[in-house]
């Protein structure tokens, strides 16, 4: 038990170091989603990372000064932090559990449908204020326009491995029966009623399929993929924090015994 203080000091130093990847993951999400036009995850990740860093530093100070009071405060906050991180990680995995692309016969890309994603994610992109910002961001980006120089024939385009956003936002759904002219220019659909998105397609570079449910689904597919990556980092950090918390409890008991009985 007497070595618990030293151990907790070392573990908290390591925890402080390991909090940096979580903060980095939040910053990565912020920079990546500035391109993908979807921002509502990075701040919780950054806040949790900073919180872990501050709590670890508090535990490091408490173990160095052998302050049982500070260690008790530290242990309480650490418990709440573990609970918060656990809830956030479970939530992230639950809301990204649904949703996947559907293979299209004769195409190199998948297509995505909004109804296959969790209701919570659907509500986020169905908020008018949120989607207007995403639409504006997509219209101002070169996500779709760069396809025109990359694929000049229908054969090249059909064999392309498009990103979820390019598949959902830059072209009409395959079921609509539009005829290819360029990746962002298609002639009138032969089967306009095949999909609700069919009537929303517009050759205008500022509109395309940005109002389509397939576009929202493409955005959510990117979000799902990134959330899963961050979720794995959170699980690793959660396991480590539980170990640190267990040792912290031992350190608190050790300090208390030294204070009242003069031994560890």
């Amino acid at each position: 038990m007497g070595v618990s203080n030293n151990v907790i000091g070392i573990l908290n130093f390591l925890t402080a170091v390991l909090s940096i990847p979580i903060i980095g993951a939040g910053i990565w999400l912020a920079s990546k989603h500035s391109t993908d036009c979807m921002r509502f995850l990075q701040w919780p990740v950054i806040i949790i990372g900073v919180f872990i860093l501050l709590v670890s530093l508090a535990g490091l100070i408490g173990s160095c000064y052998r302050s049982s009071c500070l260690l008790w405060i530290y242990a309480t906050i650490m418990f709440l932090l573990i609970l918060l991180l656990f809830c956030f990680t479970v939530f992230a995995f639950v809301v990204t559990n649904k949703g996947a692309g559907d293979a299209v016969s004769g195409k190199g890309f998948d297509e995505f449908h909004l109804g296959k994603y969790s209701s919570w994610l659907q509500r986020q992109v169905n908020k008018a204020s949120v989607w207007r910002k995403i639409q504006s961001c997509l219209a101002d980006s070169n996500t779709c326009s760069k396809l025109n120089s990359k694929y000049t024939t229908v054969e090249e385009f059909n064999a392309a491995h498009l990103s979820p956003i390019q598949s959902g936002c830059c072209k009409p759904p395959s079921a609509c029966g539009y005829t290819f002219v360029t990746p962002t220019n298609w002639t009138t659909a032969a089967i306009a009623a095949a999909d609700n998105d069919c009537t929303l397609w517009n050759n205008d570079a500022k509109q395309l399929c940005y109002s389509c449910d397939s576009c929202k689904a493409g955005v959510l597919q990117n979000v799902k993929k990134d959330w899963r990556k961050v979720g794995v980092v959170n699980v690793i950090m959660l396991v480590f924090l539980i170990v640190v918390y267990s040792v912290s409890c031992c350190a608190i008991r050790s300090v208390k015994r030294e204070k009242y009985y003069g031994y560890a």
Side-chain angles (χ1 to χ4, degrees):
M1 290 292 199
V3 299
S4 292
N5 252 10
N6 294 329
V7 174
I8 193 175
I10 295 172
L11 287 177
N12 273 288
F13 173 76
L14 292 176
T15 306
V17 172
L18 289 175
S19 68
I20 296 174
I22 293 184
I23 298 173
I27 295 173
W28 171 76
L29 284 172
S31 61
K32 187 173 188 298
H33 284 162
S34 65
T35 300
D36 293 347
C37 304
M38 190 63 174
R39 295 185 176 194
F40 58 72
L41 172 66
Q42 74 278 7
W43 286 115
V45 175
I46 292 173
I47 290 170
I48 289 175
V50 171
F51 195 32
I52 291 174
L53 177 62
L54 295 177
V55 171
S56 300
L57 292 176
L60 185 61
I61 295 171
S63 61
C64 289
Y65 288 94
R66 306 179 74 81
S67 169
S68 59
C69 179
L70 188 56
L71 284 174
W72 270 114
I73 295 173
Y74 160 78
T76 302
I77 296 176
M78 178 65 80
F79 174 78
L80 295 175
L81 178 59
I82 290 173
L83 187 61
L84 175 65
L85 186 58
F86 174 78
C87 291
F88 178 76
T89 303
V90 170
F91 172 77
F93 276 106
V94 168
V95 299
T96 58
N97 186 49
K98 296 180 179 180
D102 295 321
V104 182
S105 178
K107 312 289 185 181
F109 48 81
D110 291 341
E111 292 190 338
F112 304 87
H113 299 87
L114 185 60
K116 291 191 173 183
Y117 293 85
S118 69
S119 56
W120 187 85
L121 284 177
Q122 289 185 50
R123 284 197 298 271
Q124 303 313 303
V125 293
N126 280 329
K127 292 177 181 176
S129 58
V130 172
W131 191 247
R132 274 196 302 270
K133 293 178 182 178
I134 296 174
Q135 279 182 301
S136 176
C137 175
L138 288 170
D140 292 339
S141 72
N142 68 343
T143 303
C144 294
S145 61
K146 65 183 179 183
L147 296 177
N148 291 323
S149 58
K150 193 172 183 180
Y151 307 109
T152 56
T153 67
V154 65
E155 291 78 17
E156 290 177 344
F157 185 76
N158 287 339
H161 297 289
L162 304 180
S163 71
I165 286 180
Q166 288 173 333
S167 174
C169 306
C170 303
K171 65 171 190 61
S174 298
C176 296
Y178 278 83
T179 302
F180 176 93
V181 178
T182 70
T184 59
N185 190 341
W186 300 71
T187 60
T188 306
I191 326 171
D195 190 301
N196 290 334
D197 288 342
C198 295
T199 56
L200 296 176
W201 169 260
N202 193 306
N203 285 326
D204 185 337
K206 291 295 183 180
Q207 298 185 49
L208 299 182
C209 217
Y210 297 146
S211 297
C212 301
D213 283 349
S214 62
C215 187
K216 295 177 181 179
V219 170
L220 291 184
Q221 181 64 22
N222 273 20
V223 170
K224 173 184 175 178
K225 180 176 63 176
D226 293 340
W227 276 42
R228 286 304 179 96
K229 292 177 182 177
V230 173
V232 171
V233 175
N234 285 348
V235 168
I236 295 171
M237 195 66 188
L238 185 62
V239 171
F240 192 79
L241 287 177
I242 291 173
V243 173
V244 173
Y245 177 75
S246 301
V247 177
S248 300
C249 293
C250 294
I252 291 171
R253 289 196 295 269
S254 176
V255 170
K256 192 173 182 179
R257 273 194 296 273
E258 288 180 345
K259 182 176 180 180
Y260 289 102
Y261 302 107
Y263 66 89

